[in-house]
Amino acid sequence: MKRRVVLVDDHGLFLAGVRAELGDAVDVVGEAGTVAEAVSLIKDVDPDVVLLDVHLPDGSGDTIINAVAPDRPGVKFLALSVSDAAEDVIAVIRAGARGYVTKTIAPDELAAAIERVAQGDAVFSPRLAGFVLDAFRAGEHVAGDEELNELTPREREVLQLIARGYMYKEIAARLHISAKTVESHVSSVLRKLQLSTRHELTRWATQHRLV
Amino acid sequence: MPLPSFTTNADERALAGVCAGIAQALGVDVTLVRVVFALLALAGGAGIVLYVALWVWSRSDRAWWAAILLLVAGALLLGAVGVSDRAVVGIVLVAGGLTLAWRRGGGFRPDAPFSLGGVLIAGLGAVILLQNGSAPSRVLAPGAVAGALLLIAGPWLWRLALERDAERAARIRTEERADVATRVHDSVLQTLALIQRHAEEPRRVASLARRQERELRGWLYADQPLGEDTSSLLAALSAAAADVEELYGVRVEIASAGDATPDGALVLAAREAMTNAAKFAGVEEIDVYAEVGEDEVAVFVRDRGVGFDPAAIPDGRQGVRESIKGRLERAGGTAVVTSTPGEGTEVELRMRR
């Protein structure tokens, strides 16, 4: 069954481009250009996945997630952005998005990312993986919940390979683990990214751009 | 002049609500205002006249009456504190004249006839004052004249200053606009022109657009052209990537964890690895990842292209052997090339910090 997808972006040209690129891979059930439009549209059509621009004319992506999530817990969000402050990308992910990809992503990879997010997995672009590695630096001990504030060596390895441009199945082959295990490591990192109290995250994000 | 707005307050009034209104406008206790008026009323009844004047003034259509009453109140006040009649007349003329000049001009403006008339009356008052022999007026009169002049000229100067600030802000905006226009012309418009001329060559068009995108981002977000930041490994790699993109029409995605001072050999080796991938791998996209650790910097250049057998690099393929491995090893680093035919290649460059 094709995934039902809502596109949220204020650039009409870009929306048209994404729709054309995705083609038959997914079923685009709606498009919105503002926070207000997006919230009511998503509540109306209850899609599987929302492709979300980080910046909109009347607010940011995390506002939409916060407004929709309580009513539509089944809707998954994937941030799709051309170039943004890491701060905003992290805000969207911490609000509950299942991942972040850049707008330069190839069409087939975007379709794969949508499918992965729809199944409840996480999607990291190489840049986001680099960011997480930087923000969760090894050896820096942080007070608080250690489980949430540290990455395991295995998670670090997986993220490193994502940053180097490896796809999940390539990572699985390299580390001699199953693709499902790779998925679960990435989901675990996503959870840490969302729940960690590491102040490094905020500090890092205010200083960087995921260009 | 921006006087604090004032309306009588009917809810808390004792008489017409003037005191309550003033108290509200100034944000003070109404009793305090009433005491002040009571004290002034003792000064020859000035407080009472002042009260009436303010009440009249609060009905704005009778502003002239209010002004005259104000002058009367002022005259009574001056008389009460022992200023001679002659001085009082002088001061009233100065105040009245200046008020006239003020009200008609909305500020002192030499071109408004009422302004001029007012100034003349004020001048006459000043002359009367200065001819007056009594002691208090010798002190009072020049002070009153100076104060009144300040009242008139002050707001005018203030407005001049505001206008100058506004002009400066506008000028800065214009300059910024010109700067943006220049940059857009030098970069974006030139690129668009090139794209139109090369519309038949998709690879060239893509690489032009990509390079322009990089430049624009470098300017918008880093506030400097890429490649000019000599303190950042990331900037150096981005500049190298931009060159490779332009030369070979590929896309280079750069990710990083951390940043460091760039090492010349490392950046050149990375550039060579990107060039090789662009030339031989037969792919559209190359991934570059830089990781800055405690004591080591690692750069990974990866493609998902045709790959090759590293053991069988012909001697003629100087790229890998010399430009990458040799260069880096001479500088104290290491280079490892991993490649599998059909699955792509990764060059792993490491350098101690």
Side-chain angles (χ1 to χ4, degrees):
Chain A
M1 196 192 81
K2 274 197 245 174
R3 298 295 178 181
R4 301 173 67 248
V5 174
V6 162
L7 308 177
V8 180
D9 197 302
D10 57 319
H11 300 100
L13 260 179
F14 182 76
L15 275 182
V18 170
R19 206 181 329 114
E21 279 181 357
L22 285 173
D24 289 337
V26 301
D27 187 6
V28 177
V29 291
E31 289 170 10
T34 63
V35 171
E37 272 173 41
V39 170
S40 66
L41 174 71
I42 296 166
K43 285 185 179 171
D44 276 357
V45 304
D46 195 14
D48 297 315
V49 176
V50 177
L51 275 186
L52 194 61
D53 193 1
V54 174
H55 279 300
L56 292 162
D58 57 340
S60 55
D62 52 322
T63 326
I64 299 179
I65 301 182
N66 290 328
V68 170
D71 293 351
R72 293 276 182 273
V75 177
K76 307 288 196 306
F77 293 88
L78 175 60
L80 175 71
S81 189
V82 68
S83 84
D84 288 288
E87 207 179 339
D88 301 327
V89 173
I90 295 313
V92 170
I93 286 179
R94 280 172 86 95
R98 303 292 305 169
Y100 164 70
V101 293
T102 44
K103 280 180 178 173
T104 49
I105 188 170
D108 52 333
E109 284 181 42
L110 180 59
I114 290 172
E115 181 56 33
R116 201 172 293 147
V117 166
Q119 287 171 12
D121 292 322
V123 171
F124 284 11
S125 68
R127 270 163 203 163
L128 183 59
F131 155 68
V132 179
L133 283 170
D134 197 21
F136 284 83
R137 258 176 197 291
E140 270 174 36
H141 215 74
V142 181
D145 190 340
E146 195 167 308
E147 200 273 317
L148 286 177
N149 288 328
E150 307 289 336
L151 298 180
T152 67
R154 196 51 136 186
E155 287 165 356
R156 214 168 272 284
E157 261 179 309
V158 169
L159 280 183
Q160 221 174 20
L161 289 170
I162 293 177
R164 281 156 69 174
Y166 284 77
M167 293 191 295
Y168 287 17
K169 62 174 192 290
E170 296 169 327
I171 296 172
R174 236 184 119 100
L175 299 180
H176 307 294
I177 53 180
S178 71
K180 212 60 221 165
T181 311
V182 175
E183 293 281 9
S184 79
H185 284 306
V186 180
S187 294
S188 160
V189 172
L190 178 74
R191 199 173 64 89
K192 290 180 181 181
L193 196 53
Q194 287 170 342
L195 302 176
S196 169
T197 52
R198 257 185 111 97
H199 76 287
E200 277 292 305
L201 265 180
T202 339
R203 197 177 63 88
W204 194 98
T206 49
Q207 289 171 349
H208 289 73
R209 281 181 179 276
L210 293 174
V211 183
Chain B
M1 193 163 82
L3 286 167
S5 72
F6 147 75
T7 50
T8 54
N9 186 333
D11 294 340
E12 293 179 44
R13 65 179 184 166
L15 291 170
V18 169
C19 288
I22 289 174
Q24 202 175 33
L26 298 179
V28 295
D29 191 70
V30 63
T31 317
L32 183 72
V33 182
R34 287 190 179 130
V35 168
V36 168
F37 270 95
L39 284 174
L40 288 176
L42 292 178
I48 298 165
V49 183
L50 185 62
Y51 190 96
V52 176
L54 288 172
W55 176 71
V56 170
W57 189 32
S58 71
R59 279 117 181 90
S60 59
D61 53 328
R62 273 168 286 183
W64 275 109
W65 285 105
I68 290 166
L69 283 167
L70 268 178
L71 286 176
V72 172
L76 287 172
L77 197 62
L78 289 170
V81 296
V83 179
S84 70
D85 290 351
R86 201 181 154 84
V88 170
V89 169
I91 290 171
V92 166
L93 281 178
V94 169
L98 292 181
T99 308
L100 187 67
W102 181 259
R103 286 217 40 107
R104 283 294 149 164
F108 177 72
R109 273 182 299 178
D111 54 329
F114 272 98
S115 258
L116 215 56
V119 170
L120 284 177
I121 294 174
L124 182 64
V127 170
I128 293 174
L129 268 177
L130 294 174
Q131 282 173 348
N132 186 299
S134 75
S137 67
R138 288 224 169 185
V139 186
L140 255 178
V145 173
L149 281 176
L150 203 67
L151 270 179
I152 289 203
W156 180 60
L157 290 172
W158 175 246
R159 198 165 343 159
L160 270 189
L162 282 184
E163 272 165 19
R164 198 203 49 207
D165 282 355
E167 253 168 49
R168 192 163 54 193
R171 200 174 58 236
I172 290 171
R173 270 200 301 279
T174 314
E175 278 167 10
E176 273 172 358
R177 226 188 156 81
D179 185 38
V180 171
T182 311
R183 295 235 193 190
V184 167
H185 181 264
D186 288 353
S187 56
V188 179
L189 292 182
Q190 300 281 10
T191 301
L192 287 175
L194 278 173
I195 284 177
Q196 286 174 40
R197 286 204 345 234
H198 296 274
E200 307 303 312
E201 308 162 56
R203 277 167 79 91
R204 177 127 173 87
V205 166
S207 83
L208 281 169
R210 185 81 177 146
R211 186 186 176 85
Q212 186 55 65
E213 184 189 333
R214 253 179 218 285
E215 259 183 41
L216 213 52
R217 280 189 187 172
W219 176 50
L220 287 175
Y221 300 131
D223 208 22
Q224 59 189 339
L226 281 170
E228 284 187 15
D229 182 359
T230 52
S231 67
S232 160
L233 172 69
L234 198 55
L237 286 176
S238 300
D243 285 347
V244 172
E245 285 183 336
E246 186 168 32
L247 280 168
Y248 301 101
V250 292
R251 202 163 79 222
V252 182
E253 290 290 338
I254 296 186
S256 77
D259 203 351
T261 323
D263 177 280
L266 184 64
V267 173
L268 285 172
R271 186 197 158 104
E272 195 57 33
M274 292 182 228
T275 306
N276 277 334
K279 274 159 83 173
F280 304 116
V283 288
E284 307 254 299
E285 188 176 318
I286 300 165
D287 283 294
V288 175
Y289 171 57
E291 189 177 65
V292 179
E294 286 283 291
D295 44 14
E296 191 187 59
V297 181
V299 177
F300 302 85
V301 179
R302 170 171 164 77
D303 68 71
R304 274 196 206 91
V306 294
F308 61 95
D309 181 359
I313 303 178
D315 285 346
R317 282 278 297 278
Q318 195 251 1
V320 170
R321 196 156 284 170
E322 186 45 35
S323 297
I324 300 179
K325 283 193 161 175
R327 190 198 300 272
L328 212 58
E329 276 159 17
R330 274 198 301 280
T334 56
V336 177
V337 181
T338 326
S339 187
T340 312
E343 287 179 21
T345 305
E346 185 172 49
V347 179
E348 192 176 323
L349 310 162
R350 293 183 185 273
M351 183 75 103
R352 296 196 74 75
R353 289 182 76 184

